[in-house]
Every structure is written in structure tokens, then in C-alpha cells.
Amino acid sequence: MSAIQYHLTQPESTSDQYTPFQTVDFNLSVPGRKLLKNSIRIEGVVVARTNQTDAYVPATAGAASSAIDAVDNIKIDNVVGAHSYWDSWTTETESKGVLENLQQYPRMVSQVGRATLGQDDMNTAKMIAEQRGPTELNGNIVLQPVVDQAFMTGQAEQPAERSKPSFSIKPMICFNRSAGGDYSFDKNGFIRISGILAADRHALFGGNADTNYVLEDLVCRYITIPDDGIAEPMLMRSYTSVVSSINSTSTAIKARVPSAQVSSVSMTFAKQSNLQSPEFNSYALESIPKWDSVEYLFANSLQNYITYTITDEDDALSRGLAALESAGHSQVSQKTLKANKGMIMGLDFNEYVNLSQQTFTVNLKILDASVTQAPFDCFLMFHSLIEM
């Protein structure tokens, strides 16, 4: 039996096209083998259109087409790339049930990307495969049909000689953020990975209500090794998201997190009107107007009540980046975050805290009363550890 085997599995319910809000399930199971940690990838092609009237591939050259081109302003977030198409992920196993439910998934990718990836970091084959790039323009280019061949001078290009753009992402699920042993299918049973596709207005931006996308030819690829019968503990990182509204100058956010091992919390913001509009980037890490202070209240592992009050913006950003770093995301940089037009607050607990039996509270004060008329959403990401 081969030491390393490469596997490909199709969705449980295959379809010619996968549309927004649709759930896509992948079942992974190989008897006598172990899943090689951090080896799962999701691949497919995307068909993004400016409208639902014109054909994507016109019958003749020069005819109207709904395919994205350089003139259009329609794009995906260049930092998030093809992760933009997946609104959430759920990971479960036969023996343990649901391990994680990753809501607001593209925003989590946006946090990590904007805090760690500079323009040079985007110019790699790994990033290009995920439809990510160094400039906002890349978000438009990756949606355009791909020319399959070069054309001689004076010869017209034929529409049928273009192919749909493809992608290959490594989703930030717990099995791709794992350390320790490899997952034994014989001992733990199958793995089911379920993704829900994002709404048109969230995955794409810069367009109008007619802008839309579908995915095709979806597959899951992963690598296995022979099961050696050794049961080693697995440590996997994950997160739980909580969303709350900010519609006053003084806001109290209370959250109960179903995890006994939480290392930190990171916090980002977005104007509610922008989240509902197809013109704006739903995954941007927006700044809140005239921020004054943020206060975190919780009990640590010794049940001592802790209060952190932060009034300096640089301190708030530094602590937000420290929260990401403690969750396993290295090379965070405040300079990189600002270059990527992002704002992240948060707190590193410096230990693992049980938040399942207590309420975590954030008190936020803003000096600009405009939030009462133009409210924001606050996204809290509680970074946790899963053990198997």
C-alpha cells in the first residue's frame, strides 16, 4: 500500500451548479488510512455575471455577454479571494459529532489576511490559486474568463475559446489548523465538511442587484497515509463568532461562548448599510467613527474577575493583533494591517479561559452620535482550541 495517497471526493449531492445559500457536503472516509493533517483543499470554477439576461458565452464574437471584464467594477475581496464564496463551514466526525461551526468565515479570513499579508506575500502560486492578489484590481481579474490560447495578429478571438476561472482554497477549518497526530478513520469514523455559499451581495461587490455568481465542478482533495495504529492526541485551532449591533454611543455586548478553551478575542466592524449593499465590500474591516474606549470583562482560569479598559487606539490595535497571534497566526503587523485598510481590536487572554459557564462582556464608547442613524455591526471572533 502506498505511503501517501491523494484523494478526490465530490459533494454528497452533486449538481451542475451550486448557488448562493446552498449547502455543499463532503464526506471523507478511507478505511485503513489516516488523514494527513492540514491537507484538505476545496476546488472548483466560478461563473460570475453582471446580469441574468445576457449569455455568459455569446454565440458570436462581439455579441453581448454577461461575463465579467476589465471595464466592470465587479470584484471579490482581493485579500479574501475564493474564500469569499463560502459564508460558513461546519466540521463534524462520526465519533465526536460537530467539532466547529464557523460563521462569518470570509470575515475571519479577511482579518488574518489583512493583518499578515503584504503585497509581496500575495505574489505566490499559493495565493494565486486561491484567487488572492496584491491589489483590489486582482479581485476583478480573477473573475474574468480565461483566454485558452494566444491569437495571431488580425485574427478574431472566439468566445468559446475562453474557459471559466478556477480556484483551489485551503479552508481555515480545524483539520487544516492541526498539530499532533493524524486523524484515524478506523478509530474515529468519517469526517463531514459542510459549506454554505455566500449571498451574491456578500461574495461580490461593486455591482448592482443583478450581479450574481454560481460555482461549478466542486471537489474536495485530501491526502492520507497508512494507519499505523498509534493513537496520538490532536490539537486543532478554531473560533466562534458573535455578532452584535452598535446603534448608540455607549454599547454593551454580552456573549456566551460554547468553549472551555478560549485563548483570545478579536473584534472588527462594518456599517450595516454597507453589508446590505452590492456596491460595498462586505468583508472590509471598517473603522468606527470617533472611537473613545473599549472595556473587556470576564473571569480568568482562577475565577478572578478581570477588567481591561483601553483608551488608546494604537494600544487597541496592538492588542487585537496579539489576539490573532495567540490564535496561531504568525507575522501579524500593525503596518501591514494599516496598508490593507483594516482595523482590528481585541484581547489576548494569555491563557485558556472557560467561557462556556460565564458571560463575556464588551463595553464600547463612541463620541460620534451618527451611529444612532447609521449603525454598525460588531463581529467578535473567540479563538479556541479543540482536542481529540
Side-chain angles (χ1 to χ4, degrees):
M1 184 179 294
S2 173
I4 295 179
Q5 291 184 2
Y6 296 85
H7 302 267
L8 180 150
T9 184
Q10 294 181 318
E12 259 190 336
S13 299
T14 58
S15 176
D16 292 336
Q17 293 186 330
Y18 302 88
T19 57
F21 306 110
Q22 184 172 346
T23 300
V24 184
D25 300 313
F26 297 98
N27 273 351
L28 284 59
S29 181
V30 187
R33 309 285 296 182
K34 284 184 173 181
L35 173 70
L36 184 66
K37 54 182 169 288
N38 310 321
S39 70
I40 298 172
R41 300 193 70 88
I42 305 297
E43 301 180 356
V45 300
V46 58
V47 179
R49 303 172 61 190
T50 59
N51 63 74
Q52 302 183 45
T53 303
D54 298 326
Y56 184 78
V57 179
T60 59
S65 169
S66 60
I68 307 296
D69 60 30
V71 177
D72 299 310
N73 190 40
I74 300 167
K75 57 182 78 73
I76 59 175
D77 188 317
N78 63 290
V79 177
V80 180
H83 297 272
S84 300
Y85 311 134
W86 303 92
D87 185 67
S88 66
W89 290 101
T90 301
T91 307
E92 60 182 297
T93 67
E94 186 174 1
S95 61
K96 298 291 185 180
V98 176
L99 296 180
E100 62 180 357
N101 184 4
L102 307 181
Q103 299 296 316
Q104 306 297 331
Y105 170 74
R107 176 163 288 271
M108 183 64 214
V109 177
S110 178
Q111 279 192 37
V112 176
R114 284 182 160 80
T116 62
L117 299 174
Q119 287 195 347
D120 290 341
D121 299 316
M122 293 287 193
N123 288 315
T124 66
K126 180 173 67 174
M127 293 290 106
I128 293 171
E130 296 195 345
Q131 294 190 331
R132 300 163 95 169
T135 68
E136 189 173 300
L137 181 61
N138 287 100
N140 169 267
I141 293 171
V142 297
L143 295 177
Q144 298 178 29
V146 180
V147 178
D148 294 330
Q149 67 181 59
F151 293 89
M152 298 176 61
T153 303
Q155 190 174 13
E157 176 187 349
Q158 297 304 310
E161 293 172 323
R162 287 188 169 200
S163 60
K164 301 164 185 174
S166 61
F167 64 86
S168 174
I169 64 169
K170 184 178 179 180
M172 287 176 53
I173 58 177
C174 60
F175 285 106
N176 279 340
R177 303 179 64 195
S178 178
D182 294 306
Y183 181 91
S184 170
F185 288 107
D186 286 349
K187 178 184 177 182
N188 300 301
F190 64 77
I191 296 172
R192 177 177 288 114
I193 301 170
S194 302
I196 298 179
L197 298 186
D200 290 324
R201 69 176 184 273
H202 292 161
L204 310 175
F205 70 98
N208 52 43
D210 292 328
T211 303
N212 64 94
Y213 80 99
V214 295
L215 302 185
E216 299 178 354
D217 301 334
L218 287 177
V219 296
C220 175
R221 295 183 184 271
Y222 58 100
I223 302 172
T224 65
I225 58 177
D227 194 335
D228 55 10
I230 300 175
E232 298 179 276
M234 299 175 60
L235 299 176
M236 300 178 288
R237 295 188 184 272
S238 185
Y239 73 88
T240 299
S241 66
V242 174
V243 184
S244 184
S245 178
I246 301 174
N247 52 20
S248 70
T249 55
S250 182
T251 300
I253 302 170
K254 298 182 182 295
R256 180 69 64 86
V257 182
S259 175
Q261 299 191 74
V262 181
S263 63
S264 60
V265 61
S266 56
M267 183 166 60
T268 62
F269 309 93
K271 188 176 291 187
Q272 289 181 359
S273 59
N274 292 349
L275 293 174
Q276 301 304 317
S277 170
E279 297 180 19
F280 296 94
N281 183 1
S282 296
Y283 309 139
L285 310 183
E286 299 183 43
S287 298
I288 48 178
K290 295 184 180 180
W291 169 82
D292 180 58
S293 67
V294 61
E295 185 178 55
Y296 305 95
L297 302 93
F298 63 100
N300 65 8
S301 59
L302 299 177
Q303 296 304 306
N304 296 323
Y305 204 61
I306 305 296
T307 301
Y308 282 94
T309 302
I310 301 168
T311 57
D312 180 74
E313 183 172 344
D314 281 342
D315 186 26
L317 290 175
S318 295
R319 290 180 181 271
L321 293 175
L324 285 179
E325 190 169 29
S326 74
H329 304 291
S330 59
Q331 297 182 330
V332 296
S333 165
Q334 192 169 140
K335 181 179 179 181
T336 301
L337 178 64
K338 290 184 176 181
N340 286 323
K341 303 176 183 178
M343 178 182 183
I344 300 175
M345 295 185 185
L347 187 67
D348 177 9
F349 302 154
N350 295 313
E351 61 177 338
Y352 285 102
V353 177
N354 185 352
L355 294 183
S356 63
Q357 303 299 321
Q358 62 172 296
T359 299
F360 185 93
T361 302
V362 179
N363 293 322
L364 192 66
K365 291 185 179 180
I366 302 171
L367 300 179
D368 190 339
S370 66
V371 295
T372 60
Q373 303 298 320
F376 280 68
D377 273 349
C378 175
F379 300 86
L380 298 171
M381 305 294 188
F382 292 90
H383 305 282
S384 59
L385 187 68
I386 300 173
E387 295 184 64
M388 281 190 69

